Amino acid sequence: QVQLVESGGGLVQAGGSLRLSCAASRRTFTTYSMGWFRQAPGKEREFVAAITWNSDTTYYTDSAKGRFTISRDNAKNTVYLQMNSLKPEDTAVYSCAGDPQSIRGSTFSSSNWWTYWGQGTQVTVSS
């Protein structure tokens, strides 16, 4: 069992930045694919970004490209989501996810692909 704990959410004005962190409880995290999802009120959970275990490849939803950056520090068992140029439509609960599988194809963009989840952190962007 892997526990994931997010932090770094909050209230920010449009155009501002936030960095989310997700700390994992086990060293096996270093071999896991990691991702970020978000869920806005009344909407389905959606994929935001993902990163391979060794950071060689990152993936983003179109709305995040050029504004968000996913990264990881395996020595600290932590994955990050740097969010810049935030917009009100980025308001959501952001959750990190982990899975021991390697990312292949496109199925990782579905929340069903991921095994472990954090509890989520609220991000609110005011206009």
Side-chain angles (χ1 to χ4, degrees):
Q1 187 75 11
V2 175
Q3 290 184 326
L4 303 174
V5 180
E6 301 95 337
S7 60
L11 174 63
V12 64
Q13 289 188 332
S17 298
L18 283 174
R19 189 177 81 154
L20 306 183
S21 299
C22 172
S25 62
R26 290 181 59 177
R27 283 295 297 167
T28 49
F29 158 87
T30 61
T31 64
Y32 280 29
S33 302
M34 296 297 295
W36 287 95
F37 284 73
R38 67 186 181 187
Q39 187 168 19
K43 293 188 176 182
E44 296 287 321
R45 180 184 284 174
E46 65 171 353
F47 170 77
V48 177
I51 188 167
T52 53
W53 70 272
N54 60 355
S55 302
D56 67 348
T57 310
T58 56
Y59 305 84
Y60 299 93
T61 191
D62 285 346
S63 62
K65 289 178 182 176
R67 299 189 301 128
F68 294 3
T69 302
I70 187 171
S71 62
R72 65 192 296 163
D73 184 341
N74 284 346
K76 296 182 178 179
N77 288 3
T78 302
V79 63
Y80 304 97
L81 185 68
Q82 176 68 44
M83 303 187 295
N84 299 328
S85 302
L86 283 162
K87 305 175 182 179
E89 52 263 44
D90 294 317
T91 295
V93 175
Y94 284 71
S95 300
C96 69
D99 199 275
Q101 299 180 83
S102 296
I103 291 176
R104 292 187 180 90
S106 62
T107 55
F108 65 90
S109 62
S110 167
S111 60
N112 293 330
W113 188 85
W114 301 85
T115 301
Y116 300 105
W117 291 88
Q119 82 288 351
T121 185
Q122 176 70 46
V123 171
T124 302
V125 184
S126 63
S127 56

mmCIF file of all heavy atoms in Angstrom, residues 7-52:
data_model
loop_
_atom_site.group_PDB
_atom_site.id
_atom_site.type_symbol
_atom_site.label_atom_id
_atom_site.label_comp_id
_atom_site.label_asym_id
_atom_site.label_seq_id
_atom_site.Cartn_x
_atom_site.Cartn_y
_atom_site.Cartn_z
ATOM 1 N N SER A 7 -0.168 18.624 -0.942
ATOM 2 C CA SER A 7 -0.131 19.897 -0.236
ATOM 3 C C SER A 7 0.144 20.999 -1.242
ATOM 4 O O SER A 7 0.510 20.715 -2.399
ATOM 5 C CB SER A 7 0.950 19.893 0.851
ATOM 6 O OG SER A 7 2.224 19.678 0.286
ATOM 7 N N GLY A 8 -0.054 22.239 -0.813
ATOM 8 C CA GLY A 8 0.293 23.365 -1.667
ATOM 9 C C GLY A 8 -0.875 24.073 -2.320
ATOM 10 O O GLY A 8 -0.683 25.086 -2.997
ATOM 11 N N GLY A 9 -2.074 23.552 -2.143
ATOM 12 C CA GLY A 9 -3.230 24.231 -2.711
ATOM 13 C C GLY A 9 -3.544 25.522 -1.975
ATOM 14 O O GLY A 9 -2.949 25.824 -0.935
ATOM 15 N N GLY A 10 -4.468 26.281 -2.526
ATOM 16 C CA GLY A 10 -4.853 27.530 -1.878
ATOM 17 C C GLY A 10 -5.616 28.427 -2.812
ATOM 18 O O GLY A 10 -6.081 28.007 -3.880
ATOM 19 N N LEU A 11 -5.740 29.680 -2.401
ATOM 20 C CA LEU A 11 -6.444 30.704 -3.168
ATOM 21 C C LEU A 11 -5.413 31.605 -3.829
ATOM 22 O O LEU A 11 -4.488 32.097 -3.164
ATOM 23 C CB LEU A 11 -7.339 31.512 -2.250
ATOM 24 C CG LEU A 11 -8.056 32.729 -2.848
ATOM 25 C CD1 LEU A 11 -9.022 32.296 -3.940
ATOM 26 C CD2 LEU A 11 -8.775 33.511 -1.751
ATOM 27 N N VAL A 12 -5.570 31.826 -5.113
ATOM 28 C CA VAL A 12 -4.636 32.667 -5.858
ATOM 29 C C VAL A 12 -5.411 33.469 -6.888
ATOM 30 O O VAL A 12 -6.467 33.023 -7.371
ATOM 31 C CB VAL A 12 -3.543 31.797 -6.524
ATOM 32 C CG1 VAL A 12 -4.148 30.867 -7.561
ATOM 33 C CG2 VAL A 12 -2.442 32.643 -7.117
ATOM 34 N N GLN A 13 -4.907 34.646 -7.212
ATOM 35 C CA GLN A 13 -5.543 35.456 -8.249
ATOM 36 C C GLN A 13 -5.189 34.926 -9.629
ATOM 37 O O GLN A 13 -4.130 34.309 -9.826
ATOM 38 C CB GLN A 13 -5.113 36.903 -8.115
ATOM 39 C CG GLN A 13 -5.703 37.606 -6.901
ATOM 40 C CD GLN A 13 -5.411 39.100 -6.904
ATOM 41 O OE1 GLN A 13 -4.414 39.546 -7.466
ATOM 42 N NE2 GLN A 13 -6.274 39.872 -6.269
ATOM 43 N N ALA A 14 -6.042 35.209 -10.580
ATOM 44 C CA ALA A 14 -5.773 34.838 -11.970
ATOM 45 C C ALA A 14 -4.424 35.410 -12.390
ATOM 46 O O ALA A 14 -4.100 36.567 -12.078
ATOM 47 C CB ALA A 14 -6.880 35.341 -12.875
ATOM 48 N N GLY A 15 -3.654 34.583 -13.093
ATOM 49 C CA GLY A 15 -2.318 34.978 -13.504
ATOM 50 C C GLY A 15 -1.232 34.577 -12.523
ATOM 51 O O GLY A 15 -0.047 34.658 -12.844
ATOM 52 N N GLY A 16 -1.644 34.147 -11.349
ATOM 53 C CA GLY A 16 -0.686 33.751 -10.325
ATOM 54 C C GLY A 16 -0.196 32.327 -10.495
ATOM 55 O O GLY A 16 -0.527 31.641 -11.471
ATOM 56 N N SER A 17 0.598 31.890 -9.517
ATOM 57 C CA SER A 17 1.211 30.567 -9.572
ATOM 58 C C SER A 17 1.027 29.823 -8.252
ATOM 59 O O SER A 17 0.900 30.448 -7.186
ATOM 60 C CB SER A 17 2.715 30.695 -9.852
ATOM 61 O OG SER A 17 2.961 31.305 -11.097
ATOM 62 N N LEU A 18 1.028 28.512 -8.347
ATOM 63 C CA LEU A 18 1.039 27.634 -7.186
ATOM 64 C C LEU A 18 1.896 26.422 -7.525
ATOM 65 O O LEU A 18 1.970 26.018 -8.691
ATOM 66 C CB LEU A 18 -0.366 27.146 -6.818
ATOM 67 C CG LEU A 18 -1.316 28.095 -6.087
ATOM 68 C CD1 LEU A 18 -2.689 27.443 -5.960
ATOM 69 C CD2 LEU A 18 -0.767 28.461 -4.714
ATOM 70 N N ARG A 19 2.510 25.847 -6.497
ATOM 71 C CA ARG A 19 3.207 24.577 -6.677
ATOM 72 C C ARG A 19 2.600 23.551 -5.738
ATOM 73 O O ARG A 19 2.648 23.717 -4.515
ATOM 74 C CB ARG A 19 4.705 24.698 -6.421
ATOM 75 C CG ARG A 19 5.429 23.412 -6.825
ATOM 76 C CD ARG A 19 6.935 23.491 -6.672
ATOM 77 N NE ARG A 19 7.383 23.273 -5.309
ATOM 78 C CZ ARG A 19 8.587 22.811 -4.991
ATOM 79 N NH1 ARG A 19 9.455 22.531 -5.942
ATOM 80 N NH2 ARG A 19 8.931 22.666 -3.730
ATOM 81 N N LEU A 20 2.054 22.515 -6.330
ATOM 82 C CA LEU A 20 1.500 21.419 -5.561
ATOM 83 C C LEU A 20 2.577 20.360 -5.345
ATOM 84 O O LEU A 20 3.407 20.129 -6.221
ATOM 85 C CB LEU A 20 0.308 20.796 -6.279
ATOM 86 C CG LEU A 20 -0.821 21.747 -6.686
ATOM 87 C CD1 LEU A 20 -1.962 20.948 -7.325
ATOM 88 C CD2 LEU A 20 -1.314 22.560 -5.512
ATOM 89 N N SER A 21 2.513 19.719 -4.186
ATOM 90 C CA SER A 21 3.419 18.627 -3.873
ATOM 91 C C SER A 21 2.614 17.395 -3.506
ATOM 92 O O SER A 21 1.505 17.501 -2.971
ATOM 93 C CB SER A 21 4.329 18.994 -2.694
ATOM 94 O OG SER A 21 5.128 20.119 -2.979
ATOM 95 N N CYS A 22 3.182 16.245 -3.792
ATOM 96 C CA CYS A 22 2.553 14.979 -3.426
ATOM 97 C C CYS A 22 3.651 14.078 -2.872
ATOM 98 O O CYS A 22 4.555 13.675 -3.617
ATOM 99 C CB CYS A 22 1.887 14.346 -4.637
ATOM 100 S SG CYS A 22 1.275 12.669 -4.367
ATOM 101 N N ALA A 23 3.554 13.795 -1.588
ATOM 102 C CA ALA A 23 4.556 12.967 -0.923
ATOM 103 C C ALA A 23 4.056 11.536 -0.809
ATOM 104 O O ALA A 23 2.921 11.295 -0.392
ATOM 105 C CB ALA A 23 4.859 13.533 0.458
ATOM 106 N N ALA A 24 4.916 10.598 -1.163
ATOM 107 C CA ALA A 24 4.566 9.183 -1.111
ATOM 108 C C ALA A 24 5.200 8.538 0.109
ATOM 109 O O ALA A 24 6.275 8.943 0.561
ATOM 110 C CB ALA A 24 5.026 8.473 -2.372
ATOM 111 N N SER A 25 4.528 7.507 0.595
ATOM 112 C CA SER A 25 4.949 6.898 1.858
ATOM 113 C C SER A 25 5.985 5.802 1.713
ATOM 114 O O SER A 25 6.561 5.363 2.696
ATOM 115 C CB SER A 25 3.718 6.312 2.574
ATOM 116 O OG SER A 25 3.128 5.289 1.781
ATOM 117 N N ARG A 26 6.210 5.353 0.485
ATOM 118 C CA ARG A 26 7.120 4.221 0.316
ATOM 119 C C ARG A 26 8.193 4.495 -0.718
ATOM 120 O O ARG A 26 7.970 5.207 -1.684
ATOM 121 C CB ARG A 26 6.330 2.964 -0.110
ATOM 122 C CG ARG A 26 5.463 2.393 0.980
ATOM 123 C CD ARG A 26 4.737 1.153 0.504
ATOM 124 N NE ARG A 26 5.669 0.108 0.076
ATOM 125 C CZ ARG A 26 5.274 -1.082 -0.331
ATOM 126 N NH1 ARG A 26 3.978 -1.370 -0.389
ATOM 127 N NH2 ARG A 26 6.148 -1.986 -0.710
ATOM 128 N N ARG A 27 9.347 3.869 -0.519
ATOM 129 C CA ARG A 27 10.447 4.034 -1.452
ATOM 130 C C ARG A 27 10.134 3.457 -2.823
ATOM 131 O O ARG A 27 10.703 3.857 -3.812
ATOM 132 C CB ARG A 27 11.709 3.364 -0.892
ATOM 133 C CG ARG A 27 12.395 4.162 0.188
ATOM 134 C CD ARG A 27 12.923 5.466 -0.342
ATOM 135 N NE ARG A 27 13.935 5.286 -1.366
ATOM 136 C CZ ARG A 27 14.383 6.249 -2.162
ATOM 137 N NH1 ARG A 27 13.864 7.465 -2.082
ATOM 138 N NH2 ARG A 27 15.317 6.021 -3.045
ATOM 139 N N THR A 28 9.173 2.497 -2.878
ATOM 140 C CA THR A 28 8.802 1.924 -4.174
ATOM 141 C C THR A 28 8.209 2.973 -5.092
ATOM 142 O O THR A 28 8.076 2.757 -6.289
ATOM 143 C CB THR A 28 7.800 0.774 -4.003
ATOM 144 O OG1 THR A 28 6.727 1.207 -3.146
ATOM 145 C CG2 THR A 28 8.470 -0.447 -3.405
ATOM 146 N N PHE A 29 7.863 4.134 -4.504
ATOM 147 C CA PHE A 29 7.407 5.265 -5.316
ATOM 148 C C PHE A 29 8.368 5.542 -6.456
ATOM 149 O O PHE A 29 7.952 5.961 -7.529
ATOM 150 C CB PHE A 29 7.296 6.493 -4.400
ATOM 151 C CG PHE A 29 7.354 7.812 -5.109
ATOM 152 C CD1 PHE A 29 6.205 8.377 -5.611
ATOM 153 C CD2 PHE A 29 8.561 8.498 -5.267
ATOM 154 C CE1 PHE A 29 6.245 9.609 -6.265
ATOM 155 C CE2 PHE A 29 8.610 9.713 -5.917
ATOM 156 C CZ PHE A 29 7.451 10.272 -6.405
ATOM 157 N N THR A 30 9.653 5.314 -6.218
ATOM 158 C CA THR A 30 10.644 5.666 -7.226
ATOM 159 C C THR A 30 10.466 4.892 -8.527
ATOM 160 O O THR A 30 10.970 5.315 -9.565
ATOM 161 C CB THR A 30 12.069 5.442 -6.699
ATOM 162 O OG1 THR A 30 12.223 4.062 -6.378
ATOM 163 C CG2 THR A 30 12.323 6.278 -5.453
ATOM 164 N N THR A 31 9.752 3.779 -8.490
ATOM 165 C CA THR A 31 9.515 2.994 -9.702
ATOM 166 C C THR A 31 8.106 3.211 -10.264
ATOM 167 O O THR A 31 7.736 2.586 -11.248
ATOM 168 C CB THR A 31 9.706 1.501 -9.414
ATOM 169 O OG1 THR A 31 8.710 1.081 -8.474
ATOM 170 C CG2 THR A 31 11.094 1.214 -8.859
ATOM 171 N N TYR A 32 7.331 4.079 -9.638
ATOM 172 C CA TYR A 32 5.942 4.297 -10.033
ATOM 173 C C TYR A 32 5.808 5.406 -11.067
ATOM 174 O O TYR A 32 6.499 6.422 -11.000
ATOM 175 C CB TYR A 32 5.104 4.684 -8.820
ATOM 176 C CG TYR A 32 4.679 3.536 -7.929
ATOM 177 C CD1 TYR A 32 5.444 2.381 -7.812
ATOM 178 C CD2 TYR A 32 3.510 3.623 -7.197
ATOM 179 C CE1 TYR A 32 5.052 1.345 -6.995
ATOM 180 C CE2 TYR A 32 3.098 2.592 -6.371
ATOM 181 C CZ TYR A 32 3.876 1.456 -6.277
ATOM 182 O OH TYR A 32 3.484 0.426 -5.462
ATOM 183 N N SER A 33 4.869 5.222 -11.968
ATOM 184 C CA SER A 33 4.385 6.335 -12.770
ATOM 185 C C SER A 33 3.527 7.212 -11.845
ATOM 186 O O SER A 33 2.826 6.704 -10.971
ATOM 187 C CB SER A 33 3.521 5.842 -13.925
ATOM 188 O OG SER A 33 4.247 4.946 -14.743
ATOM 189 N N MET A 34 3.591 8.521 -12.050
ATOM 190 C CA MET A 34 2.828 9.440 -11.201
ATOM 191 C C MET A 34 2.046 10.417 -12.065
ATOM 192 O O MET A 34 2.481 10.781 -13.168
ATOM 193 C CB MET A 34 3.759 10.210 -10.268
ATOM 194 C CG MET A 34 4.498 9.333 -9.268
ATOM 195 S SD MET A 34 3.392 8.468 -8.116
ATOM 196 C CE MET A 34 2.677 9.857 -7.224
ATOM 197 N N GLY A 35 0.903 10.844 -11.547
ATOM 198 C CA GLY A 35 0.071 11.767 -12.312
ATOM 199 C C GLY A 35 -0.701 12.723 -11.424
ATOM 200 O O GLY A 35 -0.752 12.545 -10.198
ATOM 201 N N TRP A 36 -1.252 13.730 -12.054
ATOM 202 C CA TRP A 36 -2.143 14.679 -11.395
ATOM 203 C C TRP A 36 -3.463 14.719 -12.156
ATOM 204 O O TRP A 36 -3.476 14.762 -13.387
ATOM 205 C CB TRP A 36 -1.536 16.078 -11.373
ATOM 206 C CG TRP A 36 -0.409 16.254 -10.410
ATOM 207 C CD1 TRP A 36 0.923 16.145 -10.665
ATOM 208 C CD2 TRP A 36 -0.514 16.570 -9.013
ATOM 209 N NE1 TRP A 36 1.656 16.373 -9.525
ATOM 210 C CE2 TRP A 36 0.789 16.638 -8.500
ATOM 211 C CE3 TRP A 36 -1.584 16.813 -8.151
ATOM 212 C CZ2 TRP A 36 1.059 16.944 -7.163
ATOM 213 C CZ3 TRP A 36 -1.317 17.115 -6.824
ATOM 214 C CH2 TRP A 36 -0.013 17.169 -6.350
ATOM 215 N N PHE A 37 -4.542 14.726 -11.384
ATOM 216 C CA PHE A 37 -5.881 14.880 -11.921
ATOM 217 C C PHE A 37 -6.557 16.028 -11.175
ATOM 218 O O PHE A 37 -6.100 16.441 -10.117
ATOM 219 C CB PHE A 37 -6.699 13.598 -11.715
ATOM 220 C CG PHE A 37 -6.344 12.495 -12.658
ATOM 221 C CD1 PHE A 37 -5.161 11.786 -12.531
ATOM 222 C CD2 PHE A 37 -7.209 12.144 -13.686
ATOM 223 C CE1 PHE A 37 -4.837 10.758 -13.412
ATOM 224 C CE2 PHE A 37 -6.906 11.116 -14.563
ATOM 225 C CZ PHE A 37 -5.714 10.424 -14.428
ATOM 226 N N ARG A 38 -7.652 16.508 -11.719
ATOM 227 C CA ARG A 38 -8.421 17.527 -11.019
ATOM 228 C C ARG A 38 -9.903 17.305 -11.247
ATOM 229 O O ARG A 38 -10.310 16.705 -12.246
ATOM 230 C CB ARG A 38 -8.021 18.926 -11.487
ATOM 231 C CG ARG A 38 -8.378 19.250 -12.939
ATOM 232 C CD ARG A 38 -7.804 20.603 -13.323
ATOM 233 N NE ARG A 38 -8.136 20.959 -14.690
ATOM 234 C CZ ARG A 38 -7.658 22.020 -15.330
ATOM 235 N NH1 ARG A 38 -6.801 22.847 -14.685
ATOM 236 N NH2 ARG A 38 -8.021 22.276 -16.554
ATOM 237 N N GLN A 39 -10.681 17.788 -10.300
ATOM 238 C CA GLN A 39 -12.128 17.675 -10.407
ATOM 239 C C GLN A 39 -12.767 18.969 -9.930
ATOM 240 O O GLN A 39 -12.613 19.355 -8.765
ATOM 241 C CB GLN A 39 -12.668 16.496 -9.598
ATOM 242 C CG GLN A 39 -14.142 16.237 -9.819
ATOM 243 C CD GLN A 39 -14.595 14.909 -9.252
ATOM 244 O OE1 GLN A 39 -13.949 14.314 -8.400
ATOM 245 N NE2 GLN A 39 -15.717 14.416 -9.757
ATOM 246 N N ALA A 40 -13.455 19.625 -10.845
ATOM 247 C CA ALA A 40 -14.180 20.840 -10.526
ATOM 248 C C ALA A 40 -15.598 20.473 -10.088
ATOM 249 O O ALA A 40 -16.099 19.398 -10.439
ATOM 250 C CB ALA A 40 -14.220 21.758 -11.744
ATOM 251 N N PRO A 41 -16.255 21.347 -9.337
ATOM 252 C CA PRO A 41 -17.619 21.046 -8.880
ATOM 253 C C PRO A 41 -18.545 20.727 -10.039
ATOM 254 O O PRO A 41 -18.596 21.462 -11.034
ATOM 255 C CB PRO A 41 -18.031 22.349 -8.183
ATOM 256 C CG PRO A 41 -16.759 22.970 -7.752
ATOM 257 C CD PRO A 41 -15.760 22.634 -8.815
ATOM 258 N N GLY A 42 -19.255 19.623 -9.922
ATOM 259 C CA GLY A 42 -20.225 19.239 -10.934
ATOM 260 C C GLY A 42 -19.626 18.653 -12.199
ATOM 261 O O GLY A 42 -20.355 18.401 -13.164
ATOM 262 N N LYS A 43 -18.314 18.434 -12.185
ATOM 263 C CA LYS A 43 -17.665 17.905 -13.384
ATOM 264 C C LYS A 43 -16.954 16.583 -13.081
ATOM 265 O O LYS A 43 -16.685 16.254 -11.923
ATOM 266 C CB LYS A 43 -16.658 18.915 -13.930
ATOM 267 C CG LYS A 43 -17.299 20.189 -14.464
ATOM 268 C CD LYS A 43 -16.279 21.057 -15.171
ATOM 269 C CE LYS A 43 -16.932 22.274 -15.787
ATOM 270 N NZ LYS A 43 -15.945 23.118 -16.523
ATOM 271 N N GLU A 44 -16.632 15.865 -14.137
ATOM 272 C CA GLU A 44 -15.891 14.625 -14.005
ATOM 273 C C GLU A 44 -14.432 14.924 -13.660
ATOM 274 O O GLU A 44 -13.893 15.974 -14.015
ATOM 275 C CB GLU A 44 -15.940 13.839 -15.319
ATOM 276 C CG GLU A 44 -17.321 13.374 -15.730
ATOM 277 C CD GLU A 44 -17.808 12.232 -14.858
ATOM 278 O OE1 GLU A 44 -16.986 11.362 -14.515
ATOM 279 O OE2 GLU A 44 -18.997 12.225 -14.513
ATOM 280 N N ARG A 45 -13.795 13.974 -12.998
ATOM 281 C CA ARG A 45 -12.356 14.088 -12.759
ATOM 282 C C ARG A 45 -11.641 14.042 -14.105
ATOM 283 O O ARG A 45 -11.974 13.210 -14.967
ATOM 284 C CB ARG A 45 -11.886 12.946 -11.872
ATOM 285 C CG ARG A 45 -10.419 12.964 -11.558
ATOM 286 C CD ARG A 45 -10.045 11.734 -10.743
ATOM 287 N NE ARG A 45 -10.468 11.841 -9.364
ATOM 288 C CZ ARG A 45 -10.359 10.844 -8.484
ATOM 289 N NH1 ARG A 45 -9.855 9.680 -8.858
ATOM 290 N NH2 ARG A 45 -10.755 11.016 -7.252
ATOM 291 N N GLU A 46 -10.664 14.918 -14.290
ATOM 292 C CA GLU A 46 -9.949 14.957 -15.566
ATOM 293 C C GLU A 46 -8.440 14.893 -15.358
ATOM 294 O O GLU A 46 -7.904 15.378 -14.363
ATOM 295 C CB GLU A 46 -10.320 16.212 -16.365
ATOM 296 C CG GLU A 46 -9.889 17.514 -15.736
ATOM 297 C CD GLU A 46 -10.091 18.706 -16.682
ATOM 298 O OE1 GLU A 46 -10.432 18.497 -17.858
ATOM 299 O OE2 GLU A 46 -9.897 19.846 -16.213
ATOM 300 N N PHE A 47 -7.795 14.316 -16.342
ATOM 301 C CA PHE A 47 -6.344 14.191 -16.354
ATOM 302 C C PHE A 47 -5.698 15.556 -16.546
ATOM 303 O O PHE A 47 -6.176 16.374 -17.347
ATOM 304 C CB PHE A 47 -5.930 13.255 -17.491
ATOM 305 C CG PHE A 47 -4.454 13.237 -17.766
ATOM 306 C CD1 PHE A 47 -3.597 12.541 -16.944
ATOM 307 C CD2 PHE A 47 -3.938 13.920 -18.864
ATOM 308 C CE1 PHE A 47 -2.236 12.518 -17.197
ATOM 309 C CE2 PHE A 47 -2.575 13.905 -19.133
ATOM 310 C CZ PHE A 47 -1.724 13.202 -18.294
ATOM 311 N N VAL A 48 -4.607 15.799 -15.822
ATOM 312 C CA VAL A 48 -3.858 17.038 -15.969
ATOM 313 C C VAL A 48 -2.449 16.772 -16.495
ATOM 314 O O VAL A 48 -2.047 17.360 -17.494
ATOM 315 C CB VAL A 48 -3.778 17.795 -14.621
ATOM 316 C CG1 VAL A 48 -2.926 19.057 -14.774
ATOM 317 C CG2 VAL A 48 -5.160 18.138 -14.110
ATOM 318 N N ALA A 49 -1.718 15.885 -15.827
ATOM 319 C CA ALA A 49 -0.324 15.650 -16.206
ATOM 320 C C ALA A 49 0.137 14.316 -15.648
ATOM 321 O O ALA A 49 -0.425 13.807 -14.672
ATOM 322 C CB ALA A 49 0.572 16.774 -15.689
ATOM 323 N N ALA A 50 1.182 13.759 -16.263
ATOM 324 C CA ALA A 50 1.769 12.516 -15.781
ATOM 325 C C ALA A 50 3.255 12.515 -16.083
ATOM 326 O O ALA A 50 3.729 13.234 -16.984
ATOM 327 C CB ALA A 50 1.094 11.303 -16.409
ATOM 328 N N ILE A 51 3.983 11.679 -15.330
ATOM 329 C CA ILE A 51 5.436 11.604 -15.495
ATOM 330 C C ILE A 51 5.875 10.165 -15.295
ATOM 331 O O ILE A 51 5.343 9.447 -14.437
ATOM 332 C CB ILE A 51 6.128 12.556 -14.498
ATOM 333 C CG1 ILE A 51 7.632 12.651 -14.764
ATOM 334 C CG2 ILE A 51 5.845 12.148 -13.050
ATOM 335 C CD1 ILE A 51 8.308 13.794 -14.020
ATOM 336 N N THR A 52 6.830 9.719 -16.093
ATOM 337 C CA THR A 52 7.356 8.372 -15.957
ATOM 338 C C THR A 52 8.228 8.262 -14.708
ATOM 339 O O THR A 52 8.632 9.269 -14.118
ATOM 340 C CB THR A 52 8.166 7.994 -17.202
ATOM 341 O OG1 THR A 52 9.160 9.007 -17.432
ATOM 342 C CG2 THR A 52 7.262 7.896 -18.417
#
